[in-house]
Amino acid sequence: MNFKHLIKTTLISALLFGASAFAEIKTVRIAHYTGVLCSAPVHTAWLKGFFDEEFKKIGQKYEMVPIAEGSGSVNDLIVAGKADAGNELLATELQPIQNGLPIIFVTGVHTGCTKFYVTKQSTIKKLKDLKGRKSKIGVIGLSDSSIMTFKRKLRDLGVVADGPEADVEFVVYGASDLPLALQKGAVDIIALHDPTATTAEEEYGFRKLLDTATDPKFAVEYCCIAFVSLKLWKENPEGAAAFTRAVARGSAFVNANPREAARLQLAKDIVPGSEDFNTKLLESYTHIPSRKATIRTFRTVATELQKTGVLKKKLNIEKFITSHFANFASKGIHVPDGYKYDKDTGTFTETTEEPKTLAKNIVEN
Protein backbone atom coordinates (compact mmCIF):
# COMPACT_ATOMS: atom_id res chain seq x y z
CA MET A 1 0.00 0.00 0.00
CA ASN A 2 1.51 3.36 -1.06
CA PHE A 3 1.21 6.58 0.95
CA LYS A 4 -1.51 8.10 -1.30
CA HIS A 5 -3.64 4.97 -0.95
CA LEU A 6 -3.22 5.05 2.84
CA ILE A 7 -4.45 8.66 2.99
CA LYS A 8 -7.39 7.81 0.71
CA THR A 9 -8.37 4.84 2.93
CA THR A 10 -8.14 6.97 6.07
CA LEU A 11 -10.30 9.71 4.59
CA ILE A 12 -12.93 7.21 3.47
CA SER A 13 -13.00 5.75 7.02
CA ALA A 14 -13.47 9.19 8.46
CA LEU A 15 -16.36 9.91 6.09
CA LEU A 16 -18.02 6.58 6.78
CA PHE A 17 -17.55 6.47 10.55
CA GLY A 18 -17.11 10.11 11.47
CA ALA A 19 -14.85 11.34 14.23
CA SER A 20 -15.40 8.08 16.12
CA ALA A 21 -12.91 6.43 13.78
CA PHE A 22 -10.18 8.35 15.57
CA ALA A 23 -11.76 8.63 19.04
CA GLU A 24 -10.34 6.89 22.07
CA ILE A 25 -12.34 4.05 23.58
CA LYS A 26 -14.70 5.49 26.20
CA THR A 27 -14.02 4.57 29.82
CA VAL A 28 -16.69 4.78 32.52
CA ARG A 29 -15.29 5.43 36.01
CA ILE A 30 -17.26 3.53 38.65
CA ALA A 31 -16.85 4.70 42.24
CA HIS A 32 -17.28 2.10 44.96
CA TYR A 33 -17.01 2.15 48.73
CA THR A 34 -14.59 -0.14 50.51
CA GLY A 35 -15.50 -1.31 53.99
CA VAL A 36 -19.20 -0.99 53.15
CA LEU A 37 -21.27 -4.15 52.81
CA CYS A 38 -24.08 -2.23 51.06
CA SER A 39 -21.99 -1.98 47.90
CA ALA A 40 -22.21 -5.76 47.41
CA PRO A 41 -24.16 -5.46 44.10
CA VAL A 42 -21.49 -3.15 42.62
CA HIS A 43 -18.65 -5.31 43.98
CA THR A 44 -20.32 -8.45 42.65
CA ALA A 45 -20.84 -6.89 39.22
CA TRP A 46 -17.11 -6.16 39.20
CA LEU A 47 -15.75 -9.40 40.65
CA LYS A 48 -18.10 -11.74 38.76
CA GLY A 49 -17.25 -10.06 35.46
CA PHE A 50 -20.64 -8.48 34.75
CA PHE A 51 -19.03 -5.10 34.09
CA ASP A 52 -16.54 -6.83 31.78
CA GLU A 53 -19.37 -8.42 29.80
CA GLU A 54 -21.63 -5.39 29.55
CA PHE A 55 -18.92 -2.91 28.58
CA LYS A 56 -17.35 -5.33 26.10
CA LYS A 57 -20.72 -5.59 24.32
CA ILE A 58 -20.67 -1.88 23.54
CA GLY A 59 -16.95 -1.58 22.85
CA GLN A 60 -16.18 0.46 25.95
CA LYS A 61 -14.07 0.11 29.07
CA TYR A 62 -14.59 0.80 32.76
CA GLU A 63 -12.41 1.70 35.70
CA MET A 64 -13.12 1.02 39.39
CA VAL A 65 -12.48 4.02 41.65
CA PRO A 66 -12.27 3.00 45.34
CA ILE A 67 -13.44 5.21 48.20
CA ALA A 68 -12.21 4.21 51.65
CA GLU A 69 -14.94 4.34 54.30
CA GLY A 70 -15.07 7.79 55.88
CA SER A 71 -12.67 9.36 53.37
CA GLY A 72 -15.19 10.97 51.03
CA SER A 73 -18.23 10.15 48.95
CA VAL A 74 -19.31 9.28 45.44
CA ASN A 75 -20.92 12.72 45.31
CA ASP A 76 -17.56 14.37 45.95
CA LEU A 77 -16.01 12.47 43.04
CA ILE A 78 -18.95 13.19 40.73
CA VAL A 79 -18.74 16.93 41.43
CA ALA A 80 -14.95 16.88 41.00
CA GLY A 81 -15.31 15.10 37.65
CA LYS A 82 -13.39 12.06 38.91
CA ALA A 83 -16.19 9.48 38.69
CA ASP A 84 -19.15 8.77 36.42
CA ALA A 85 -21.24 6.28 38.40
CA GLY A 86 -21.76 4.76 41.82
CA ASN A 87 -24.28 3.93 44.51
CA GLU A 88 -25.54 5.62 47.66
CA LEU A 89 -28.42 5.75 50.12
CA LEU A 90 -31.36 7.18 48.20
CA ALA A 91 -32.62 9.54 50.92
CA THR A 92 -29.13 11.05 51.26
CA GLU A 93 -29.17 12.11 47.61
CA LEU A 94 -32.47 13.92 47.20
CA GLN A 95 -31.65 17.23 48.88
CA PRO A 96 -28.26 17.48 47.12
CA ILE A 97 -29.98 16.77 43.78
CA GLN A 98 -32.49 19.51 44.52
CA ASN A 99 -29.52 21.80 45.18
CA GLY A 100 -27.77 20.91 41.93
CA LEU A 101 -25.93 17.59 42.38
CA PRO A 102 -25.60 16.41 38.74
CA ILE A 103 -26.71 12.78 38.95
CA ILE A 104 -29.53 10.64 37.60
CA PHE A 105 -30.82 7.43 39.19
CA VAL A 106 -30.79 4.20 37.16
CA THR A 107 -31.93 1.36 39.46
CA GLY A 108 -32.47 0.36 43.07
CA VAL A 109 -30.11 -2.26 44.45
CA HIS A 110 -31.38 -3.38 47.87
CA THR A 111 -33.65 -2.66 50.82
CA GLY A 112 -32.92 -1.45 54.36
CA CYS A 113 -29.49 -1.46 55.95
CA THR A 114 -30.19 1.26 58.56
CA LYS A 115 -31.01 0.51 62.18
CA PHE A 116 -31.89 2.54 65.29
CA TYR A 117 -30.99 1.36 68.80
CA VAL A 118 -31.60 2.04 72.48
CA THR A 119 -29.97 0.38 75.47
CA LYS A 120 -31.70 -2.60 77.04
CA GLN A 121 -32.47 -0.44 80.08
CA SER A 122 -34.08 2.36 78.06
CA THR A 123 -37.63 3.36 78.93
CA ILE A 124 -38.23 4.00 75.24
CA LYS A 125 -40.10 0.89 74.14
CA LYS A 126 -41.78 2.16 70.99
CA LEU A 127 -41.13 5.06 68.64
CA LYS A 128 -44.38 6.72 69.71
CA ASP A 129 -42.87 6.99 73.21
CA LEU A 130 -40.69 9.81 71.86
CA LYS A 131 -43.59 12.24 71.88
CA GLY A 132 -42.91 14.95 74.45
CA ARG A 133 -39.61 13.47 75.66
CA LYS A 134 -36.99 15.75 74.01
CA SER A 135 -34.82 12.73 73.19
CA LYS A 136 -31.31 13.00 71.72
CA ILE A 137 -30.69 10.98 68.58
CA GLY A 138 -27.05 10.20 67.74
CA VAL A 139 -26.33 10.26 64.00
CA ILE A 140 -23.23 10.25 61.81
CA GLY A 141 -24.15 13.48 60.01
CA LEU A 142 -26.97 15.98 59.67
CA SER A 143 -27.38 15.12 55.98
CA ASP A 144 -27.30 11.35 56.57
CA SER A 145 -30.20 9.27 55.28
CA SER A 146 -30.92 8.01 58.80
CA ILE A 147 -32.30 11.46 59.71
CA MET A 148 -34.49 11.51 56.60
CA THR A 149 -35.76 8.02 57.47
CA PHE A 150 -36.45 8.92 61.08
CA LYS A 151 -38.28 12.13 60.17
CA ARG A 152 -40.55 10.24 57.80
CA LYS A 153 -41.39 7.64 60.46
CA LEU A 154 -41.89 10.16 63.25
CA ARG A 155 -44.21 12.24 61.09
CA ASP A 156 -46.47 9.20 60.69
CA LEU A 157 -46.59 8.82 64.47
CA GLY A 158 -47.26 12.47 65.22
CA VAL A 159 -43.83 13.01 66.79
CA VAL A 160 -42.36 16.45 66.01
CA ALA A 161 -38.87 16.23 64.49
CA ASP A 162 -38.12 19.88 63.68
CA GLY A 163 -38.47 23.37 65.11
CA PRO A 164 -38.64 24.76 68.64
CA GLU A 165 -41.36 22.26 69.64
CA ALA A 166 -39.39 19.25 68.37
CA ASP A 167 -39.59 16.07 70.44
CA VAL A 168 -36.13 15.00 69.26
CA GLU A 169 -32.71 16.55 68.76
CA PHE A 170 -30.14 15.14 66.34
CA VAL A 171 -26.56 15.07 67.63
CA VAL A 172 -23.56 14.23 65.44
CA TYR A 173 -20.89 11.69 66.43
CA GLY A 174 -18.41 9.61 64.48
CA ALA A 175 -19.79 6.19 63.56
CA SER A 176 -17.31 4.42 65.84
CA ASP A 177 -18.21 6.73 68.75
CA LEU A 178 -21.98 6.34 68.57
CA PRO A 179 -22.22 3.00 70.44
CA LEU A 180 -20.23 4.36 73.37
CA ALA A 181 -22.27 7.58 73.37
CA LEU A 182 -25.42 5.49 73.74
CA GLN A 183 -23.88 3.21 76.36
CA LYS A 184 -22.82 6.20 78.48
CA GLY A 185 -26.15 7.98 78.15
CA ALA A 186 -24.95 10.94 76.08
CA VAL A 187 -27.75 10.16 73.64
CA ASP A 188 -31.00 8.22 73.94
CA ILE A 189 -31.02 6.57 70.50
CA ILE A 190 -28.39 5.96 67.84
CA ALA A 191 -28.77 5.47 64.11
CA LEU A 192 -26.23 3.32 62.27
CA HIS A 193 -25.81 1.59 58.93
CA ASP A 194 -24.60 -1.99 58.56
CA PRO A 195 -22.21 -3.59 59.17
CA THR A 196 -21.43 -1.10 61.98
CA ALA A 197 -25.03 -1.28 63.20
CA THR A 198 -25.26 -5.03 63.71
CA THR A 199 -21.70 -5.18 65.06
CA ALA A 200 -22.64 -2.64 67.77
CA GLU A 201 -25.87 -4.50 68.50
CA GLU A 202 -24.03 -7.73 69.15
CA GLU A 203 -21.14 -6.16 71.06
CA TYR A 204 -23.18 -3.94 73.40
CA GLY A 205 -26.44 -5.85 73.53
CA PHE A 206 -28.48 -2.90 72.30
CA ARG A 207 -32.20 -3.24 71.68
CA LYS A 208 -33.41 -2.52 68.17
CA LEU A 209 -36.01 0.23 68.00
CA LEU A 210 -36.35 0.41 64.21
CA ASP A 211 -34.93 -1.75 61.42
CA THR A 212 -35.55 -0.48 57.90
CA ALA A 213 -35.22 -4.03 56.52
CA THR A 214 -38.25 -5.24 58.50
CA ASP A 215 -40.32 -2.13 59.27
CA PRO A 216 -43.63 -2.14 57.32
CA LYS A 217 -42.98 1.35 55.99
CA PHE A 218 -39.43 0.86 54.77
CA ALA A 219 -39.13 -2.84 53.94
CA VAL A 220 -41.11 -2.30 50.73
CA GLU A 221 -38.75 0.32 49.30
CA TYR A 222 -35.09 0.60 48.31
CA CYS A 223 -32.66 2.19 50.70
CA CYS A 224 -29.67 2.07 48.33
CA ILE A 225 -29.69 3.13 44.70
CA ALA A 226 -27.32 3.21 41.73
CA PHE A 227 -26.84 6.34 39.65
CA VAL A 228 -24.70 7.97 36.95
CA SER A 229 -23.58 11.53 36.42
CA LEU A 230 -25.71 13.75 34.20
CA LYS A 231 -22.61 14.22 32.06
CA LEU A 232 -22.37 10.48 31.41
CA TRP A 233 -26.11 10.27 30.78
CA LYS A 234 -25.99 13.04 28.18
CA GLU A 235 -22.70 12.14 26.48
CA ASN A 236 -22.56 8.36 26.83
CA PRO A 237 -25.99 6.81 27.55
CA GLU A 238 -24.77 3.44 26.26
CA GLY A 239 -22.12 3.45 28.98
CA ALA A 240 -24.77 4.40 31.54
CA ALA A 241 -26.90 1.48 30.34
CA ALA A 242 -24.00 -0.98 30.57
CA PHE A 243 -23.39 0.13 34.16
CA THR A 244 -27.10 -0.23 34.98
CA ARG A 245 -27.44 -3.74 33.52
CA ALA A 246 -24.29 -4.96 35.26
CA VAL A 247 -25.28 -3.57 38.68
CA ALA A 248 -28.81 -4.96 38.36
CA ARG A 249 -27.30 -8.37 37.56
CA GLY A 250 -25.00 -7.97 40.57
CA SER A 251 -28.00 -7.27 42.78
CA ALA A 252 -29.90 -10.30 41.46
CA PHE A 253 -26.83 -12.47 42.04
CA VAL A 254 -26.54 -11.34 45.67
CA ASN A 255 -30.23 -12.09 46.22
CA ALA A 256 -29.83 -15.65 44.96
CA ASN A 257 -26.39 -16.35 46.41
CA PRO A 258 -25.54 -14.03 49.33
CA ARG A 259 -22.84 -16.33 50.68
CA GLU A 260 -20.91 -16.28 47.42
CA ALA A 261 -21.24 -12.49 47.32
CA ALA A 262 -19.86 -12.31 50.85
CA ARG A 263 -16.97 -14.57 49.85
CA LEU A 264 -16.15 -12.38 46.86
CA GLN A 265 -15.96 -9.22 48.97
CA LEU A 266 -13.84 -10.88 51.64
CA ALA A 267 -11.49 -12.53 49.15
CA LYS A 268 -10.78 -9.14 47.57
CA ASP A 269 -10.42 -7.62 51.06
CA ILE A 270 -13.04 -5.00 50.20
CA VAL A 271 -14.98 -5.29 53.47
CA PRO A 272 -14.22 -6.51 57.00
CA GLY A 273 -16.14 -9.23 58.83
CA SER A 274 -16.55 -12.97 58.46
CA GLU A 275 -18.28 -15.03 55.83
CA ASP A 276 -21.09 -16.08 58.18
CA PHE A 277 -21.65 -12.59 59.61
CA ASN A 278 -21.64 -10.85 56.24
CA THR A 279 -23.85 -13.52 54.68
CA LYS A 280 -26.39 -13.09 57.47
CA LEU A 281 -26.57 -9.36 56.80
CA LEU A 282 -26.81 -9.71 53.01
CA GLU A 283 -29.59 -12.27 53.47
CA SER A 284 -31.54 -9.82 55.64
CA TYR A 285 -31.91 -7.32 52.79
CA THR A 286 -33.85 -7.85 49.58
CA HIS A 287 -31.63 -7.61 46.50
CA ILE A 288 -34.30 -7.59 43.80
CA PRO A 289 -33.51 -5.00 41.12
CA SER A 290 -36.50 -3.29 39.54
CA ARG A 291 -36.52 0.07 37.80
CA LYS A 292 -40.29 0.33 38.27
CA ALA A 293 -39.94 -0.26 42.01
CA THR A 294 -37.17 2.33 42.00
CA ILE A 295 -39.46 4.98 40.53
CA ARG A 296 -42.11 4.08 43.12
CA THR A 297 -39.56 4.40 45.93
CA PHE A 298 -38.25 7.67 44.49
CA ARG A 299 -41.77 9.11 44.39
CA THR A 300 -42.67 7.96 47.91
CA VAL A 301 -39.47 9.20 49.55
CA ALA A 302 -39.46 12.54 47.70
CA THR A 303 -43.13 13.20 48.47
CA GLU A 304 -42.71 12.45 52.17
CA LEU A 305 -39.48 14.43 52.50
CA GLN A 306 -41.25 17.38 50.93
CA LYS A 307 -43.91 17.10 53.63
CA THR A 308 -41.25 17.02 56.37
CA GLY A 309 -39.61 20.16 54.95
CA VAL A 310 -36.41 18.47 53.74
CA LEU A 311 -37.37 19.21 50.13
CA LYS A 312 -38.79 22.57 49.05
CA LYS A 313 -42.56 23.02 48.99
CA LYS A 314 -42.45 24.49 45.48
CA LEU A 315 -40.63 21.44 44.08
CA ASN A 316 -42.68 19.61 41.43
CA ILE A 317 -42.15 15.98 42.42
CA GLU A 318 -43.15 14.46 39.09
CA LYS A 319 -40.82 16.77 37.15
CA PHE A 320 -38.12 16.04 39.73
CA ILE A 321 -38.47 12.30 39.06
CA THR A 322 -38.59 12.72 35.28
CA SER A 323 -35.43 14.84 35.34
CA HIS A 324 -33.50 12.50 37.62
CA PHE A 325 -34.46 8.98 36.58
CA ALA A 326 -32.88 7.58 33.42
CA ASN A 327 -35.34 6.82 30.62
CA PHE A 328 -33.27 4.52 28.43
CA ALA A 329 -36.19 3.74 26.11
CA SER A 330 -36.29 7.40 25.09
CA LYS A 331 -32.77 6.92 23.71
CA GLY A 332 -33.56 3.62 22.03
CA ILE A 333 -31.41 1.64 24.49
CA HIS A 334 -32.55 -1.67 25.97
CA VAL A 335 -32.38 -1.96 29.76
CA PRO A 336 -34.82 -4.44 31.36
CA ASP A 337 -36.82 -3.63 34.48
CA GLY A 338 -34.58 -6.08 36.34
CA TYR A 339 -33.14 -9.58 36.48
CA LYS A 340 -33.54 -12.88 38.28
CA TYR A 341 -30.55 -15.18 38.79
CA ASP A 342 -30.69 -18.97 38.94
CA LYS A 343 -27.66 -20.13 40.89
CA ASP A 344 -28.20 -23.77 39.84
CA THR A 345 -27.84 -22.97 36.15
CA GLY A 346 -25.80 -19.80 36.54
CA THR A 347 -28.13 -17.91 34.22
CA PHE A 348 -29.97 -14.59 34.33
CA THR A 349 -33.53 -13.94 33.20
CA GLU A 350 -34.71 -10.46 32.37
CA THR A 351 -37.83 -9.27 34.20
CA THR A 352 -40.39 -6.82 32.87
CA GLU A 353 -42.73 -6.23 35.80
CA GLU A 354 -42.28 -4.74 39.25
CA PRO A 355 -42.04 -7.48 41.93
CA LYS A 356 -45.15 -7.91 44.10
CA THR A 357 -43.13 -6.87 47.15
CA LEU A 358 -39.57 -6.10 48.16
CA ALA A 359 -40.20 -7.08 51.78
CA LYS A 360 -38.77 -10.30 53.18
CA ASN A 361 -39.89 -10.15 56.80
CA ILE A 362 -42.23 -7.51 58.24
CA VAL A 363 -41.95 -6.75 61.97
CA GLU A 364 -44.36 -4.28 63.57
CA ASN A 365 -42.62 -1.78 65.84
Side-chain angles (χ1 to χ4, degrees):
M1 179 183 294
N2 60 36
F3 185 66
K4 287 184 178 180
H5 185 68
L6 177 61
I7 292 176
K8 183 178 179 181
T9 303
T10 304
L11 289 172
I12 291 173
S13 297
L15 289 171
L16 287 174
F17 302 107
S20 62
F22 304 101
E24 293 182 5
I25 296 175
K26 294 177 181 177
T27 299
V28 175
R29 299 160 300 174
I30 302 167
H32 69 101
Y33 289 107
T34 61
V36 178
L37 199 64
C38 291
S39 292
V42 173
H43 294 154
T44 301
W46 170 32
L47 300 174
K48 288 296 293 183
F50 305 151
F51 284 138
D52 290 334
E53 294 170 7
E54 293 295 343
F55 281 99
K56 185 177 180 180
K57 286 179 186 176
I58 61 170
Q60 295 185 25
K61 295 182 178 180
Y62 71 94
E63 173 190 348
M64 300 302 293
V65 182
I67 306 171
E69 186 178 12
S71 68
S73 70
V74 180
N75 292 354
D76 295 335
L77 294 181
I78 292 283
V79 171
K82 296 180 179 179
D84 305 301
N87 72 285
E88 255 295 359
L89 292 145
L90 184 148
T92 300
E93 301 299 272
L94 297 190
Q95 195 172 47
I97 291 174
Q98 174 188 253
N99 295 333
L101 178 67
I103 64 171
I104 187 164
F105 295 144
V106 293
T107 190
V109 291
H110 68 77
T111 61
C113 56
T114 305
K115 298 175 174 68
F116 297 78
Y117 296 101
V118 294
T119 62
K120 280 187 175 180
Q121 299 76 30
S122 175
T123 57
I124 301 171
K125 304 301 180 183
K126 298 282 186 180
L127 287 170
K128 63 183 180 181
D129 295 340
L130 296 177
K131 196 165 186 176
R133 293 182 66 111
K134 303 296 181 184
S135 301
K136 290 186 176 181
I137 318 298
V139 295
I140 61 173
L142 294 180
S143 61
D144 185 61
S145 68
S146 62
I147 292 183
M148 316 302 171
T149 298
F150 215 46
K151 284 183 176 181
R152 291 174 60 203
K153 187 69 175 181
L154 296 184
R155 184 180 180 278
D156 290 350
L157 299 172
V159 179
V160 181
D162 290 296
E165 303 301 319
D167 296 313
V168 297
E169 176 188 357
F170 296 102
V171 185
V172 177
Y173 284 85
S176 60
D177 298 325
L178 276 173
L180 194 57
L182 180 60
Q183 186 74 8
K184 289 188 173 183
V187 295
D188 303 295
I189 301 171
I190 59 171
L192 286 168
H193 307 293
D194 278 330
T196 310
T198 302
T199 299
E201 178 184 349
E202 294 185 355
E203 182 177 346
Y204 291 88
F206 294 148
R207 177 163 51 84
K208 203 181 298 177
L209 191 64
L210 173 65
D211 183 345
T212 56
T214 60
D215 182 81
K217 181 180 183 67
F218 302 112
V220 296
E221 64 186 41
Y222 293 111
C223 94
C224 289
I225 195 164
F227 55 83
V228 300
S229 69
L230 284 176
K231 179 179 173 63
L232 183 73
W233 172 242
K234 291 174 182 178
E235 297 180 2
N236 183 12
E238 287 284 3
F243 168 77
T244 304
R245 290 189 296 263
V247 171
R249 291 171 64 194
S251 180
F253 182 94
V254 176
N255 201 63
N257 200 346
R259 183 167 293 277
E260 177 61 18
R263 285 196 195 109
L264 288 167
Q265 288 183 302
L266 290 168
K268 194 71 175 179
D269 199 26
I270 301 174
V271 298
S274 68
E275 183 179 313
D276 287 342
F277 179 77
N278 291 5
T279 299
K280 179 180 73 172
L281 291 182
L282 292 177
E283 284 177 337
S284 71
Y285 321 137
T286 298
H287 290 83
I288 299 177
S290 167
R291 284 170 44 79
K292 291 176 182 175
T294 306
I295 294 174
R296 174 179 55 77
T297 298
F298 190 175
R299 180 175 290 108
T300 299
V301 177
T303 299
E304 293 190 6
L305 288 182
Q306 187 177 52
K307 291 176 181 177
T308 65
V310 172
L311 297 180
K312 297 173 183 176
K313 287 184 179 180
K314 65 180 181 181
L315 182 69
N316 184 309
I317 297 299
E318 290 307 313
K319 287 183 179 179
F320 189 53
I321 294 169
T322 301
S323 300
H324 295 283
F325 188 82
N327 183 350
F328 290 105
S330 70
K331 296 182 180 291
I333 300 172
H334 175 67
V335 174
D337 184 65
Y339 294 92
K340 286 183 179 179
Y341 179 73
D342 186 329
K343 69 176 182 179
D344 293 327
T345 62
T347 57
F348 287 96
T349 303
E350 293 186 358
T351 58
T352 58
E353 298 299 325
E354 179 179 347
K356 292 181 179 180
T357 183
L358 295 177
K360 276 189 175 181
N361 181 31
I362 298 292
V363 177
E364 296 287 347
N365 293 297

